[in-house]
Amino acid sequence: MQKPSISIIGAGVSGLIAAFTCEEEGYSPVIYEATDRTGGRVRTDMHGKYYLDHGFQVLLTAYPEAKRYLDFHALELEYFKPGAIIFQKGKKERIGDPLRDPGSLWPTLKSKVATLTDKWLIFRLSEKLKRTDLATIFTSPELTTLQYLKNYGFSEKVISNFFQPFFTGIFLEPELKTSSRMFEFVFKMFSEGKAAIPKKGIAGIAQQLTLKLQNTRFEFNCPVQKISGNEIHLPGDKTITSDLIINTVPGLNPEINLQWKNCTNLYFQTENQHLSNDLIALLPGNSIINNIAYPFDQKDLLSVTVVKDHNYGDAELIDKVEKELSDVCGIQVKSFIKLFHIKQALPDISNLSMYSEESGTQSSTSIFQAGDYLFNGSLNAAMYSGRKAAEEALSQINPAK
């Protein structure tokens, strides 16, 4: 008896995990992907000798789904130290986690970016969230992250010097309007694990997941235009019929009106390096730059992230960034390499959830939705949603499972 056909729309992380879940149950899905590669928003380009990620992205090793699906050793992860360097008023200061990085004890104690009370509160919050399960975090009352920090007792000094630039780089919005659920989740993940980048860029995650697939067929450069019932409509009036469809592209879901957060990522080759490869640096205050980092094993390559809204053209933005690097960080640019405007960097969603039994992934008897936008904007949610959608789709075939 022929097995039901399964089609997956989109070869991003959600789609790859959905395919892997189907393969585990003996099915051979087909993935229709609009571009020429897997990975979706997890993307890296080669530019000469450099690996250029589309946006400064890190893998948090405490993500439960990442631990489930990824071989960290094979990814050759390079790890950042906890905390950050803060460039301010011509000086740089360090704030770290002395328990996990003893070398940061003295720099953290003498740092003026936070009060002693703030440093104690950071430690206390970290320990509290380590003991808090994810179900509790994602069912707690929602505040903005900014209000949460104020309610917890943090000073304006540490909020503006550390929390605001640090989490702006994660949430891609400078006002910290993002749900406190997401803040607690991310802070917990940072406290329990490490932030890392695969040696050959963030796309190494997608490449590893792709190599796990042995019975999946990929149709690249094949943008799906519409899904209706069991039909997938492709360019040139071509229609494919599939028994089950797992859709990871929110634009194809008529029930979703999704807004996106954006950022700009610039790369430079620099003359000098005033920052260790294992540290992320923040530029608080009025700087157009939010954060900078030197990706590992690419000694003179500097990644710069801009999140704030601005009206600069590309050339003007590059000049502005180069001047700030020089004036604020003491870093001299040797040459400009590449700029990426990332218009769909993170889904802008509220009422964040995770691990819901009623996930809402089924939108018809044959169509199932996947994607981090269904839960929260994270790699963990992308993986979870792909697995959950595939499990629900397969349950239609094997109801007893």
Side-chain angles (χ1 to χ4, degrees):
M1 182 177 176
Q2 188 175 4
K3 288 189 173 182
S5 58
I6 302 175
S7 298
I8 299 170
I9 315 303
V13 169
S14 295
L16 296 174
I17 294 297
F20 183 75
T21 305
C22 292
E23 283 196 7
E24 284 187 310
E25 297 299 322
Y27 293 89
S28 301
V30 180
I31 297 182
Y32 295 92
E33 167 56 37
T35 71
D36 62 352
R37 70 185 88 174
T38 64
R41 306 197 314 266
V42 179
R43 189 180 180 98
T44 306
D45 287 348
M46 280 296 298
H47 185 93
K49 63 179 181 178
Y50 299 121
Y51 295 96
L52 306 182
D53 290 341
H54 285 228
F56 179 70
Q57 303 181 60
V58 297
L59 166 66
L60 298 183
T61 60
Y63 279 156
E65 298 294 313
K67 290 190 284 187
R68 180 176 187 147
Y69 288 110
L70 297 178
D71 180 342
F72 292 164
H73 178 73
L75 286 173
E76 298 181 88
L77 295 179
E78 305 279 7
Y79 299 97
F80 287 101
K81 291 180 179 178
I85 293 288
I86 292 90
F87 281 104
Q88 195 174 38
K89 297 178 181 178
K91 298 179 180 179
K92 64 177 181 179
E93 298 191 61
R94 173 82 195 281
I95 188 165
D97 182 347
L99 291 181
R100 292 190 293 161
D101 178 20
S104 70
L105 174 59
W106 178 241
T108 299
L109 285 175
K110 72 175 186 176
S111 170
K112 296 179 181 178
V113 302
T115 67
L116 284 174
T117 300
D118 289 326
K119 295 165 190 176
W120 162 246
L121 288 175
I122 290 173
F123 169 76
R124 194 175 76 174
L125 180 58
S126 175
E127 294 303 302
K128 172 197 168 188
L129 292 176
K130 286 177 185 177
R131 299 189 300 269
T132 307
D133 61 45
L134 294 179
T136 299
I137 287 175
F138 281 101
T139 53
S140 63
E142 285 190 283
L143 304 170
T144 66
T145 292
L146 181 59
Q147 190 60 54
Y148 177 95
L149 293 170
K150 289 179 178 180
N151 288 359
Y152 202 79
F154 288 109
S155 71
E156 290 292 337
K157 175 185 280 190
V158 76
I159 290 174
S160 60
N161 288 337
F162 174 68
F163 283 111
Q164 203 145 21
F166 190 84
F167 282 91
T168 290
I170 296 169
F171 299 154
L172 301 184
E173 54 92 5
E175 297 176 4
L176 299 190
K177 296 183 293 184
T178 298
S179 168
S180 54
R181 292 177 183 175
M182 195 62 186
F183 170 78
E184 286 194 327
F185 172 62
V186 172
F187 202 94
K188 177 181 174 68
M189 294 296 100
F190 272 106
S191 299
E192 293 181 347
K194 296 180 179 180
I197 299 178
K199 187 173 183 178
K200 295 184 178 179
I202 199 70
I205 293 170
Q207 291 163 5
Q208 185 179 102
L209 294 175
T210 303
L211 290 173
K212 285 177 177 280
L213 300 176
Q214 301 299 310
N215 298 305
T216 298
R217 189 176 91 240
F218 289 90
E219 295 288 344
F220 291 109
N221 300 307
C222 190
V224 172
Q225 299 183 335
K226 187 174 71 169
I227 308 169
S228 57
N230 291 86
E231 294 184 338
I232 300 170
H233 298 268
L234 303 174
D237 294 326
K238 186 177 180 181
T239 301
I240 302 294
T241 300
S242 183
D243 294 308
L244 294 171
I245 299 169
I246 298 172
N247 173 44
T248 74
V249 180
L252 294 174
N253 183 352
E255 300 174 3
I256 296 294
N257 181 22
L258 186 62
Q259 303 299 313
W260 291 90
K261 298 176 184 178
N262 60 77
C263 66
T264 302
N265 185 205
L266 305 93
Y267 288 95
F268 299 90
Q269 185 181 29
T270 65
E271 296 279 4
N272 55 336
Q273 185 173 333
H274 287 192
L275 181 65
S276 172
N277 290 88
D278 54 7
L279 286 167
I280 297 168
L282 311 173
L283 279 70
N286 296 322
S287 297
I288 189 68
I289 298 171
N290 186 77
N291 58 277
I292 65 174
Y294 281 93
F296 299 93
D297 293 331
Q298 304 190 74
K299 192 172 182 180
D300 55 356
L301 177 70
L302 180 67
S303 171
V304 177
T305 302
V306 173
V307 178
K308 291 178 181 175
D309 291 334
H310 60 83
N311 295 316
Y312 301 122
D314 287 355
E316 193 177 4
L317 178 62
I318 292 165
D319 289 342
K320 178 74 172 174
V321 167
E322 289 185 5
K323 187 173 189 307
E324 281 192 358
L325 289 172
S326 176
D327 294 348
V328 181
C329 309
I331 296 174
Q332 306 303 319
V333 168
K334 188 175 182 180
S335 63
F336 165 72
I337 296 175
K338 191 79 174 178
L339 177 151
F340 296 111
H341 290 298
I342 305 164
K343 295 182 179 180
Q344 295 186 350
L346 275 180
D348 190 359
I349 52 180
S350 58
N351 191 26
L352 304 184
S353 62
M354 174 58 74
Y355 302 116
S356 168
E357 288 303 314
E358 296 181 2
S359 64
T361 63
Q362 185 172 2
S363 57
S364 77
T365 56
S366 59
I367 302 174
F368 300 80
Q369 307 294 335
D372 60 351
Y373 69 93
L374 295 169
F375 298 99
N376 61 79
S378 70
L379 180 67
N380 189 73
M383 292 180 166
Y384 173 71
S385 71
R387 172 167 65 86
K388 189 69 175 176
E391 288 172 351
E392 291 188 1
L394 295 174
S395 71
Q396 297 282 3
I397 305 168
N398 304 300
K401 280 209 164 191

